[in-house]
Amino acid sequence: MDLKKISINAALPGKPRSRILIIYTGGTFGMTYDKDGVLIPFDFASILEHLPSLKNLLLEITVYSFETPIDSSNIDTEHWKLIGKIIHDHYHDNDGFVVLHGTDTMAYTASALSFMLEGLNKPVIFTGAQLPISEPRSDARENLITALDIASARKDGEALVPEVCIYFDYELLRGNRSKKVESLRFDAFDSGNYPPLAKAGVKIDYNFSAIGKRHGNGPLTLRTRFDSNISIIKLFPGISQQVVRGILHTDGLKAVVLETYGSGNAPTFPWLIEELKKAIERDIIIVNVSQCPGGRVLQGRYETSKKLQQIGVISGADMTTEAAVAKLMLLLGEYGTTRTKNMVSLSLAGELTA
Protein backbone atom coordinates (compact mmCIF):
# COMPACT_ATOMS: atom_id res chain seq x y z
CA MET A 1 0.00 0.00 0.00
CA ASP A 2 1.44 3.33 -1.06
CA LEU A 3 1.50 6.44 1.10
CA LYS A 4 1.60 10.12 0.25
CA LYS A 5 3.29 12.59 2.62
CA ILE A 6 1.86 16.10 2.87
CA SER A 7 3.30 18.91 4.98
CA ILE A 8 0.80 21.54 6.07
CA ASN A 9 1.94 24.92 7.33
CA ALA A 10 -0.86 25.24 9.86
CA ALA A 11 0.97 27.37 12.39
CA LEU A 12 1.08 31.12 12.73
CA PRO A 13 4.58 32.71 12.79
CA GLY A 14 6.57 31.49 15.76
CA LYS A 15 7.24 28.18 17.42
CA PRO A 16 4.41 25.60 17.02
CA ARG A 17 2.62 24.51 20.20
CA SER A 18 2.80 20.81 19.23
CA ARG A 19 3.69 18.53 16.37
CA ILE A 20 0.82 16.33 15.19
CA LEU A 21 0.77 13.61 12.57
CA ILE A 22 -2.50 12.96 10.74
CA ILE A 23 -3.09 9.62 9.03
CA TYR A 24 -5.78 9.91 6.38
CA THR A 25 -7.18 6.53 5.37
CA GLY A 26 -10.34 7.61 3.59
CA GLY A 27 -13.99 7.57 4.52
CA THR A 28 -16.76 10.14 4.28
CA PHE A 29 -14.64 12.85 5.93
CA GLY A 30 -12.44 13.63 2.94
CA MET A 31 -14.94 13.61 0.11
CA THR A 32 -15.72 16.50 -2.21
CA TYR A 33 -17.69 16.97 -5.43
CA ASP A 34 -16.09 16.97 -8.86
CA LYS A 35 -17.39 19.11 -11.74
CA ASP A 36 -20.02 16.47 -12.51
CA GLY A 37 -21.36 16.43 -8.95
CA VAL A 38 -19.80 13.05 -8.10
CA LEU A 39 -18.22 12.52 -4.66
CA ILE A 40 -14.47 11.87 -4.93
CA PRO A 41 -11.59 11.95 -2.39
CA PHE A 42 -10.24 15.48 -1.97
CA ASP A 43 -6.58 16.48 -1.98
CA PHE A 44 -5.54 16.83 1.66
CA ALA A 45 -2.99 19.46 0.69
CA SER A 46 -5.96 21.80 0.30
CA ILE A 47 -7.25 21.24 3.85
CA LEU A 48 -6.60 24.87 4.83
CA GLU A 49 -9.10 25.98 2.18
CA HIS A 50 -11.76 24.02 4.03
CA LEU A 51 -10.42 24.73 7.54
CA PRO A 52 -8.55 28.06 7.69
CA SER A 53 -9.05 28.04 11.49
CA LEU A 54 -6.43 25.26 11.70
CA LYS A 55 -3.85 28.02 11.88
CA ASN A 56 -5.25 29.14 15.22
CA LEU A 57 -4.24 25.83 16.82
CA LEU A 58 -0.54 26.72 16.42
CA LEU A 59 0.37 23.21 15.31
CA GLU A 60 2.99 21.75 13.04
CA ILE A 61 1.03 19.17 11.06
CA THR A 62 2.26 16.37 8.84
CA VAL A 63 -0.18 14.18 6.93
CA TYR A 64 0.37 10.65 5.69
CA SER A 65 -2.43 9.81 3.29
CA PHE A 66 -3.23 6.46 1.74
CA GLU A 67 -2.38 6.96 -1.93
CA THR A 68 -5.81 5.53 -2.70
CA PRO A 69 -8.20 6.40 0.15
CA ILE A 70 -10.52 3.52 0.96
CA ASP A 71 -14.00 2.99 2.31
CA SER A 72 -13.69 1.64 5.85
CA SER A 73 -15.76 -1.41 4.87
CA ASN A 74 -12.61 -2.53 3.02
CA ILE A 75 -10.27 -2.12 6.02
CA ASP A 76 -8.42 -5.29 7.00
CA THR A 77 -5.50 -6.29 9.20
CA GLU A 78 -2.94 -5.11 6.62
CA HIS A 79 -4.29 -1.57 6.98
CA TRP A 80 -4.11 -1.91 10.79
CA LYS A 81 -0.45 -2.86 10.44
CA LEU A 82 0.26 0.12 8.19
CA ILE A 83 -1.39 2.60 10.55
CA GLY A 84 0.49 1.09 13.49
CA LYS A 85 3.80 1.25 11.61
CA ILE A 86 3.35 4.92 10.72
CA ILE A 87 2.70 5.78 14.37
CA HIS A 88 5.60 3.64 15.59
CA ASP A 89 8.07 5.01 13.03
CA HIS A 90 7.17 8.66 13.77
CA TYR A 91 6.44 8.29 17.47
CA HIS A 92 9.38 10.31 18.78
CA ASP A 93 8.95 13.11 16.24
CA ASN A 94 5.34 13.93 17.16
CA ASP A 95 3.36 14.83 20.26
CA GLY A 96 0.16 13.16 19.13
CA PHE A 97 -1.63 11.43 16.26
CA VAL A 98 -5.01 11.81 14.58
CA VAL A 99 -6.38 9.03 12.37
CA LEU A 100 -9.09 10.00 9.89
CA HIS A 101 -11.08 6.85 9.24
CA GLY A 102 -14.48 5.81 7.92
CA THR A 103 -17.01 5.26 10.68
CA ASP A 104 -18.21 1.76 9.76
CA THR A 105 -15.16 -0.09 11.08
CA MET A 106 -13.55 2.67 13.14
CA ALA A 107 -14.24 0.87 16.45
CA TYR A 108 -12.50 -2.29 15.15
CA THR A 109 -9.41 -0.35 14.05
CA ALA A 110 -9.25 1.72 17.24
CA SER A 111 -9.53 -1.49 19.29
CA ALA A 112 -6.77 -3.15 17.28
CA LEU A 113 -4.41 -0.18 17.65
CA SER A 114 -4.96 -0.13 21.42
CA PHE A 115 -3.53 -3.66 21.60
CA MET A 116 -0.86 -3.17 18.93
CA LEU A 117 0.75 -0.10 20.52
CA GLU A 118 2.14 -1.51 23.75
CA GLY A 119 3.52 1.15 26.09
CA LEU A 120 1.69 4.01 24.34
CA ASN A 121 2.09 7.34 26.17
CA LYS A 122 0.76 9.72 23.52
CA PRO A 123 -2.74 10.39 22.15
CA VAL A 124 -3.96 8.47 19.10
CA ILE A 125 -7.32 10.04 18.28
CA PHE A 126 -9.60 8.49 15.67
CA THR A 127 -12.23 10.68 14.08
CA GLY A 128 -14.23 11.01 10.90
CA ALA A 129 -17.52 12.42 9.75
CA GLN A 130 -21.07 11.54 8.85
CA LEU A 131 -21.11 14.22 6.12
CA PRO A 132 -18.23 15.10 3.75
CA ILE A 133 -16.14 18.15 4.66
CA SER A 134 -17.39 19.83 1.48
CA GLU A 135 -20.99 19.82 2.78
CA PRO A 136 -22.19 23.04 4.46
CA ARG A 137 -23.54 21.14 7.50
CA SER A 138 -20.62 18.73 7.74
CA ASP A 139 -19.52 17.53 11.17
CA ALA A 140 -16.01 17.00 9.77
CA ARG A 141 -14.71 20.45 10.72
CA GLU A 142 -15.54 20.33 14.42
CA ASN A 143 -14.48 16.69 14.72
CA LEU A 144 -11.06 17.34 13.22
CA ILE A 145 -10.37 20.63 15.03
CA THR A 146 -11.22 19.15 18.43
CA ALA A 147 -9.41 15.87 17.73
CA LEU A 148 -6.27 17.88 16.92
CA ASP A 149 -6.72 19.97 20.06
CA ILE A 150 -7.00 16.83 22.22
CA ALA A 151 -4.06 15.16 20.47
CA SER A 152 -1.89 18.18 21.28
CA ALA A 153 -3.10 18.74 24.86
CA ARG A 154 -0.27 18.47 27.38
CA LYS A 155 0.44 19.33 30.99
CA ASP A 156 3.94 19.48 32.46
CA GLY A 157 5.27 18.02 29.22
CA GLU A 158 3.04 14.94 29.28
CA ALA A 159 -0.02 14.10 27.18
CA LEU A 160 -3.39 14.54 28.87
CA VAL A 161 -4.83 11.51 27.04
CA PRO A 162 -2.11 8.84 26.58
CA GLU A 163 -4.30 6.24 24.86
CA VAL A 164 -6.21 5.30 21.69
CA CYS A 165 -9.55 7.10 21.53
CA ILE A 166 -12.44 8.00 19.25
CA TYR A 167 -13.61 11.61 19.15
CA PHE A 168 -17.03 12.18 17.66
CA ASP A 169 -19.87 14.65 18.20
CA TYR A 170 -18.40 16.43 21.23
CA GLU A 171 -17.41 13.26 23.11
CA LEU A 172 -14.05 11.54 23.54
CA LEU A 173 -14.43 7.79 24.05
CA ARG A 174 -11.93 5.02 24.79
CA GLY A 175 -11.32 3.36 21.43
CA ASN A 176 -11.64 -0.24 22.56
CA ARG A 177 -14.85 0.52 24.47
CA SER A 178 -16.63 2.10 21.52
CA LYS A 179 -19.31 0.92 19.11
CA LYS A 180 -20.91 2.58 16.12
CA VAL A 181 -24.56 3.01 17.06
CA GLU A 182 -25.89 5.50 14.50
CA SER A 183 -25.67 5.75 10.72
CA LEU A 184 -27.78 8.88 10.18
CA ARG A 185 -27.12 11.09 13.21
CA PHE A 186 -23.94 12.89 14.20
CA ASP A 187 -23.67 11.02 17.54
CA ALA A 188 -22.39 7.93 15.74
CA PHE A 189 -20.48 6.30 18.63
CA ASP A 190 -21.18 5.22 22.17
CA SER A 191 -19.26 3.43 24.92
CA GLY A 192 -22.06 1.96 27.01
CA ASN A 193 -19.78 0.27 29.52
CA TYR A 194 -17.33 3.12 30.06
CA PRO A 195 -17.79 6.86 30.66
CA PRO A 196 -16.59 9.45 28.13
CA LEU A 197 -13.00 10.54 28.65
CA ALA A 198 -13.89 14.13 27.79
CA LYS A 199 -16.77 16.29 26.63
CA ALA A 200 -16.25 19.29 24.39
CA GLY A 201 -18.24 22.47 24.83
CA VAL A 202 -17.01 26.02 25.31
CA LYS A 203 -13.96 24.24 26.74
CA ILE A 204 -12.89 20.60 26.77
CA ASP A 205 -13.83 19.03 30.10
CA TYR A 206 -11.55 16.04 30.76
CA ASN A 207 -12.67 13.15 32.97
CA PHE A 208 -9.23 12.40 34.37
CA SER A 209 -10.45 9.55 36.58
CA ALA A 210 -11.46 7.62 33.45
CA ILE A 211 -8.39 8.35 31.32
CA GLY A 212 -5.74 5.62 31.19
CA LYS A 213 -2.49 6.08 33.07
CA ARG A 214 0.94 6.48 31.52
CA HIS A 215 3.04 3.36 30.98
CA GLY A 216 6.24 4.66 32.52
CA ASN A 217 9.12 5.71 30.30
CA GLY A 218 9.67 2.45 28.42
CA PRO A 219 9.78 2.16 24.64
CA LEU A 220 6.73 1.85 22.38
CA THR A 221 6.41 -1.74 21.17
CA LEU A 222 4.48 -2.43 17.98
CA ARG A 223 2.76 -5.82 17.69
CA THR A 224 1.55 -6.73 14.21
CA ARG A 225 1.08 -10.50 14.00
CA PHE A 226 -2.59 -11.26 13.47
CA ASP A 227 -4.36 -14.60 13.08
CA SER A 228 -7.72 -14.07 11.41
CA ASN A 229 -8.97 -17.63 11.91
CA ILE A 230 -11.81 -16.55 14.14
CA SER A 231 -15.56 -16.20 13.75
CA ILE A 232 -18.61 -14.65 15.42
CA ILE A 233 -21.71 -16.62 16.36
CA LYS A 234 -24.64 -14.36 17.19
CA LEU A 235 -27.33 -16.30 18.99
CA PHE A 236 -30.97 -15.76 18.03
CA PRO A 237 -34.24 -17.61 18.67
CA GLY A 238 -34.44 -20.46 16.17
CA ILE A 239 -30.71 -20.74 15.43
CA SER A 240 -30.09 -24.20 14.01
CA GLN A 241 -27.58 -26.87 14.91
CA GLN A 242 -26.54 -27.02 11.25
CA VAL A 243 -25.51 -23.34 11.27
CA VAL A 244 -23.59 -23.58 14.57
CA ARG A 245 -21.90 -26.82 13.55
CA GLY A 246 -20.93 -25.34 10.18
CA ILE A 247 -19.17 -22.41 11.81
CA LEU A 248 -17.47 -24.48 14.51
CA HIS A 249 -16.14 -26.92 11.90
CA THR A 250 -14.65 -24.24 9.66
CA ASP A 251 -11.17 -25.33 8.54
CA GLY A 252 -8.47 -23.68 10.62
CA LEU A 253 -10.87 -22.06 13.09
CA LYS A 254 -9.11 -21.10 16.33
CA ALA A 255 -11.53 -18.87 18.23
CA VAL A 256 -15.16 -17.76 18.33
CA VAL A 257 -16.80 -14.67 19.78
CA LEU A 258 -20.15 -15.95 21.04
CA GLU A 259 -22.70 -13.13 21.20
CA THR A 260 -25.19 -14.18 23.87
CA TYR A 261 -28.29 -12.66 25.42
CA GLY A 262 -28.36 -10.31 28.40
CA SER A 263 -25.68 -11.05 30.97
CA GLY A 264 -24.19 -13.92 28.97
CA ASN A 265 -27.16 -16.26 28.65
CA ALA A 266 -27.66 -18.90 25.95
CA PRO A 267 -30.25 -21.57 25.16
CA THR A 268 -29.75 -24.75 27.17
CA PHE A 269 -30.48 -26.97 24.18
CA PRO A 270 -28.37 -30.12 24.62
CA TRP A 271 -27.19 -29.97 21.01
CA LEU A 272 -25.85 -26.40 21.44
CA ILE A 273 -23.96 -27.19 24.64
CA GLU A 274 -22.55 -30.34 23.05
CA GLU A 275 -21.38 -28.53 19.89
CA LEU A 276 -19.65 -25.84 21.97
CA LYS A 277 -18.13 -28.44 24.30
CA LYS A 278 -16.71 -30.47 21.41
CA ALA A 279 -15.26 -27.31 19.85
CA ILE A 280 -13.51 -26.42 23.12
CA GLU A 281 -12.14 -29.95 23.30
CA ARG A 282 -10.69 -29.37 19.81
CA ASP A 283 -8.81 -26.39 21.32
CA ILE A 284 -11.10 -23.72 19.87
CA ILE A 285 -11.36 -20.71 22.18
CA ILE A 286 -14.91 -19.47 22.78
CA VAL A 287 -15.37 -16.03 24.35
CA ASN A 288 -18.79 -14.99 25.65
CA VAL A 289 -19.82 -11.35 25.04
CA SER A 290 -23.25 -9.82 25.42
CA GLN A 291 -25.39 -8.60 22.55
CA CYS A 292 -26.45 -5.70 24.80
CA PRO A 293 -24.71 -2.35 24.20
CA GLY A 294 -24.31 -1.98 27.98
CA GLY A 295 -23.81 -4.34 30.89
CA ARG A 296 -21.52 -7.33 31.25
CA VAL A 297 -21.39 -11.11 31.05
CA LEU A 298 -21.91 -12.83 34.41
CA GLN A 299 -21.51 -16.51 33.61
CA GLY A 300 -23.20 -18.74 36.15
CA ARG A 301 -25.60 -16.12 37.44
CA TYR A 302 -28.48 -17.81 35.63
CA GLU A 303 -28.99 -21.44 34.70
CA THR A 304 -28.80 -20.40 31.04
CA SER A 305 -25.16 -19.38 31.42
CA LYS A 306 -24.02 -21.88 34.02
CA LYS A 307 -23.63 -24.62 31.42
CA LEU A 308 -21.36 -22.37 29.34
CA GLN A 309 -19.11 -21.83 32.33
CA GLN A 310 -18.99 -25.55 33.08
CA ILE A 311 -17.82 -26.53 29.58
CA GLY A 312 -15.05 -23.91 29.47
CA VAL A 313 -16.51 -20.93 27.63
CA ILE A 314 -14.47 -17.85 28.65
CA SER A 315 -16.34 -14.81 29.95
CA GLY A 316 -15.65 -11.65 27.97
CA ALA A 317 -16.91 -9.54 30.88
CA ASP A 318 -17.93 -6.15 29.45
CA MET A 319 -15.87 -6.25 26.24
CA THR A 320 -17.44 -5.12 23.00
CA THR A 321 -17.54 -7.53 20.08
CA GLU A 322 -15.17 -5.20 18.21
CA ALA A 323 -12.59 -5.33 21.00
CA ALA A 324 -12.95 -9.10 21.42
CA VAL A 325 -12.39 -9.69 17.69
CA ALA A 326 -9.29 -7.50 17.49
CA LYS A 327 -7.88 -8.84 20.75
CA LEU A 328 -8.29 -12.49 19.79
CA MET A 329 -6.69 -12.00 16.39
CA LEU A 330 -3.67 -10.23 17.85
CA LEU A 331 -3.20 -12.59 20.81
CA LEU A 332 -3.47 -15.67 18.59
CA GLY A 333 -0.99 -14.20 16.11
CA GLU A 334 1.49 -13.09 18.74
CA TYR A 335 1.25 -15.83 21.37
CA GLY A 336 -0.68 -18.84 20.06
CA THR A 337 -3.70 -20.64 21.48
CA THR A 338 -2.47 -21.64 24.94
CA ARG A 339 -1.33 -18.18 26.03
CA THR A 340 -4.37 -16.57 24.40
CA LYS A 341 -6.66 -18.63 26.64
CA ASN A 342 -4.90 -17.19 29.69
CA MET A 343 -4.70 -13.61 28.41
CA VAL A 344 -8.04 -12.98 26.73
CA SER A 345 -9.90 -12.37 30.00
CA LEU A 346 -7.23 -9.93 31.27
CA SER A 347 -7.50 -6.18 30.75
CA LEU A 348 -4.62 -5.37 28.41
CA ALA A 349 -5.56 -1.84 27.35
CA GLY A 350 -8.57 -0.93 29.48
CA GLU A 351 -10.95 -2.85 27.20
CA LEU A 352 -12.72 -4.66 30.04
CA THR A 353 -13.48 -4.27 33.71
CA ALA A 354 -11.63 -7.04 35.49
Side-chain angles (χ1 to χ4, degrees):
M1 288 172 282
D2 295 327
L3 293 170
K4 180 166 59 176
K5 182 180 179 181
I6 305 166
S7 295
I8 299 174
N9 182 17
L12 294 170
K15 185 178 179 180
R17 179 167 61 93
S18 290
R19 290 174 294 180
I20 303 296
L21 190 150
I22 297 175
I23 302 171
Y24 174 55
T25 69
T28 301
F29 180 99
M31 303 299 286
T32 189
Y33 292 99
D34 67 8
K35 58 183 176 58
D36 298 317
V38 178
L39 278 171
I40 59 171
F42 87 122
D43 183 357
F44 221 96
S46 65
I47 185 65
L48 288 177
E49 297 175 18
H50 295 274
L51 275 173
S53 57
L54 272 180
K55 285 183 175 292
N56 297 327
L57 292 176
L58 307 177
L59 301 177
E60 179 183 315
I61 297 175
T62 303
V63 179
Y64 276 88
S65 171
F66 285 13
E67 187 70 41
T68 304
I70 62 171
D71 188 293
S72 72
S73 296
N74 289 321
I75 286 280
D76 62 23
T77 56
E78 292 305 309
H79 299 104
W80 294 352
K81 293 177 186 179
L82 179 58
I83 296 168
K85 186 176 189 303
I86 295 170
I87 293 171
H88 181 266
D89 290 353
H90 299 275
Y91 188 69
H92 295 292
D93 300 328
N94 293 276
D95 299 304
F97 304 84
V98 171
V99 183
L100 297 177
H101 193 291
T103 58
D104 285 349
T105 59
M106 187 185 292
Y108 286 97
T109 305
S111 295
L113 265 291
S114 75
F115 303 125
M116 293 168 64
L117 299 169
E118 191 175 295
L120 180 69
N121 280 322
K122 296 180 180 181
V124 176
I125 312 298
F126 280 77
T127 195
Q130 295 286 66
L131 284 174
I133 196 169
S134 56
E135 291 279 355
R137 293 183 54 251
S138 175
D139 53 334
R141 300 177 189 86
E142 196 283 326
N143 284 348
L144 177 57
I145 289 290
T146 307
L148 287 167
D149 203 8
I150 293 169
S152 61
R154 299 165 69 80
K155 183 179 180 180
D156 300 328
E158 295 183 353
L160 290 187
V161 187
E163 60 174 292
V164 179
C165 304
I166 290 176
Y167 177 78
F168 228 88
D169 193 47
Y170 305 103
E171 286 195 333
L172 182 70
L173 309 175
R174 177 165 290 168
N176 57 32
R177 292 283 194 154
S178 302
K179 298 180 74 72
K180 183 176 181 182
V181 296
E182 274 290 342
S183 61
L184 295 177
R185 297 191 337 198
F186 288 144
D187 55 341
F189 291 89
D190 185 41
S191 59
N193 285 325
Y194 204 76
L197 306 186
K199 292 191 176 185
V202 174
K203 65 183 184 69
I204 301 174
D205 185 16
Y206 290 95
N207 181 4
F208 290 108
S209 64
I211 295 171
K213 307 304 180 188
R214 284 177 52 85
H215 293 90
N217 296 314
L220 178 71
T221 300
L222 177 64
R223 303 201 179 278
T224 59
R225 290 194 291 269
F226 288 94
D227 189 329
S228 299
N229 288 301
I230 75 166
S231 187
I232 298 172
I233 297 179
K234 185 183 183 77
L235 296 180
F236 57 89
I239 191 170
S240 71
Q241 182 174 4
Q242 183 179 2
V243 167
V244 172
R245 179 178 290 171
I247 295 172
L248 293 177
H249 283 82
T250 301
D251 286 345
L253 184 69
K254 294 182 180 177
V256 169
V257 176
L258 182 67
E259 287 195 353
T260 56
Y261 308 129
S263 55
N265 303 314
T268 54
F269 307 142
W271 67 260
L272 177 60
I273 301 302
E274 188 63 19
E275 292 289 354
L276 295 174
K277 182 172 180 288
K278 287 180 178 178
I280 292 168
E281 290 170 350
R282 296 194 302 273
D283 231 13
I284 293 173
I285 299 168
I286 301 180
V287 177
N288 183 359
V289 301
S290 176
Q291 296 179 17
C292 298
R296 62 180 289 130
V297 167
L298 297 168
Q299 282 193 166
R301 183 179 186 183
Y302 296 99
E303 183 64 28
T304 44
S305 66
K306 187 175 182 180
K307 290 267 178 37
L308 300 181
Q309 187 173 15
Q310 290 172 343
I311 64 174
V313 172
I314 298 170
S315 170
D318 53 358
M319 267 196 299
T320 64
T321 294
E322 293 87 341
V325 166
K327 185 177 183 178
L328 280 168
M329 286 199 291
L330 188 69
L331 289 179
L332 285 168
E334 288 283 337
Y335 304 112
T337 299
T338 301
R339 287 192 65 185
T340 297
K341 287 180 183 177
N342 296 326
M343 295 177 70
V344 72
S345 59
L346 303 177
S347 179
L348 304 181
E351 73 282 5
L352 60 81
T353 307

